């Protein structure tokens, strides 16, 4: 998972949890969640969900390694651009490995106190999610993997209600690009009518430019004929 801390508000985080073995076990679940995290008292947590013992050993050993470097060289540098300590000097990996082994031995003997673990930087957090999803499947699933999503009703707190789970596509695909209205193909009848109207308008414009009145028959002199109410054609005048 990842988190983005802000001094002005809560810490937003995400997590991913995998269970099963695909394809060996024939089934796998992938849980993902997003929300905010709340720090939990490590001492109180130990009674219901003992913290990861190996993680505690790694953190204590890492803190001891950084402290030893500072004492030996006067600085814990070098760091990368994210502020993480780099193992660059010859023998750094061996020193860290030795520290991990010694710390694990102390923990097994029961002489690794909680105060030292906390001082090294070990913390426990609880995720309060606003979105959860599961992707599950296996090689025997004819329809492929299934993906469901839960979302909390906006504005609700920790104990707020959740929307009905929704089934979504197992893999994200880009939505089709909308076609502009002027590029939508017109039916054949509409296209013919448009072409005929365009041709008539073009002919009318050409005739007007030549001084010809469109829609009236022409006499031998080139002037348009007039029709009287009696229906008889007019003279050539």
């Amino acid at each position: 998972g990842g988190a983005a801390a802000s001094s002005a508000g809560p810490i937003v985080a995400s997590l991913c949890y995998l269970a099963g073995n695909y394809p060996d076990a024939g089934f796998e679940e992938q849980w993902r969640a997003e929300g905010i995290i709340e720090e939990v008292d490590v001492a109180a947590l130990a009674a219901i969900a003992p913290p990861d013992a190996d993680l505690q050993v790694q953190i204590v050993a890492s803190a001891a390694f950084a402290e030893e470097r500072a004492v030996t060289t006067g600085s814990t540098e070098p760091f990368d651009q994210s502020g993480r300590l780099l193992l660059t000097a010859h023998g750094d990996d061996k020193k860290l490995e030795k520290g991990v082994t010694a710390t694990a031995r102390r923990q097994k003997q029961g002489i690794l106190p909680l105060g030292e673990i906390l001082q090294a930087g070990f913390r426990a957090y609880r995720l309060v999610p606003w979105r959860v999803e599961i992707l599950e499947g296996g090689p025997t699933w004819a329809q492929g993997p299934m993906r469901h999503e839960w979302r909390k009703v906006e504005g609700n707190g920790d104990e707020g209600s959740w929307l009905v789970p929704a089934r979504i596509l197992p893999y994200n695909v880009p939505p089709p690009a909308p076609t502009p209205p002027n590029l939508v193909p017109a039916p054949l009848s509409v296209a013919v009518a448009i072409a005929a109207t365009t041709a008539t308008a073009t002919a009318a414009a050409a005739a007007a430019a030549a001084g010809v009145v469109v829609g009236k028959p022409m006499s031998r002199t080139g002037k348009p004929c007039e029709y009287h109410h009696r229906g008889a054609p007019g003279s050539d005048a």
Side-chain angles (χ1 to χ4, degrees):
S6 173
S7 58
I11 300 176
V12 178
S14 63
L15 67 81
C16 180
Y17 172 75
L18 293 177
N21 191 328
Y22 184 92
D24 296 339
F27 185 79
E28 183 179 78
E29 290 183 356
Q30 176 179 282
W31 289 88
R32 287 186 281 185
E34 300 165 2
I36 61 173
I37 58 174
E38 299 175 343
E39 188 169 353
V40 179
D41 180 40
V42 177
L45 182 65
I48 55 175
D52 190 323
D54 291 337
L55 182 58
Q56 291 181 348
V57 167
Q58 294 288 338
I59 290 178
V60 171
S62 296
F65 174 88
E67 183 177 355
E68 181 183 356
R69 174 183 282 184
V71 171
T72 304
T73 66
S75 173
T76 55
E77 295 181 354
F79 295 100
D80 66 2
Q81 59 184 4
S82 299
R84 296 171 298 186
L85 189 146
L86 298 174
L87 304 180
T88 57
H90 178 69
D92 276 355
D93 54 344
K94 295 295 183 181
K95 290 180 182 178
L96 180 59
E97 182 181 350
K98 183 179 178 180
V100 170
T101 301
T103 306
R105 185 183 306 112
R106 292 174 54 207
Q107 184 185 61
K108 188 175 182 180
Q109 295 171 350
I111 55 174
L112 184 62
L114 179 60
E116 183 180 350
I117 295 173
L118 296 177
Q119 185 177 1
F122 183 86
R123 297 291 184 271
Y125 296 91
R126 169 177 174 264
L127 179 71
V128 182
W130 58 60
R131 189 188 79 87
V132 178
E133 73 168 54
I134 179 176
L135 178 66
E136 55 184 339
T140 60
W141 291 37
Q143 61 181 346
M146 296 177 61
R147 185 179 179 188
H148 290 85
E149 180 187 67
W150 293 261
R151 285 185 178 271
K152 184 176 287 188
V153 177
E154 189 172 353
N156 282 324
D158 186 10
E159 302 299 329
S161 59
W162 290 75
L163 299 174
V164 176
R167 183 177 179 185
I168 54 181
L169 284 175
Y171 304 105
N172 293 333
V173 295
T179 304
N182 58 342
L183 297 182
V184 177
L188 180 60
S189 58
V190 175
V192 172
I194 293 175
T197 303
T198 302
T200 302
T202 302
V212 178
V213 178
V214 179
K216 294 185 179 181
M218 306 301 292
S219 67
R220 289 188 298 273
T221 61
K223 296 180 180 180
C225 297
E226 297 292 340
Y227 289 92
H228 301 282
H229 291 288
R230 295 190 303 274
S235 66
D236 291 344

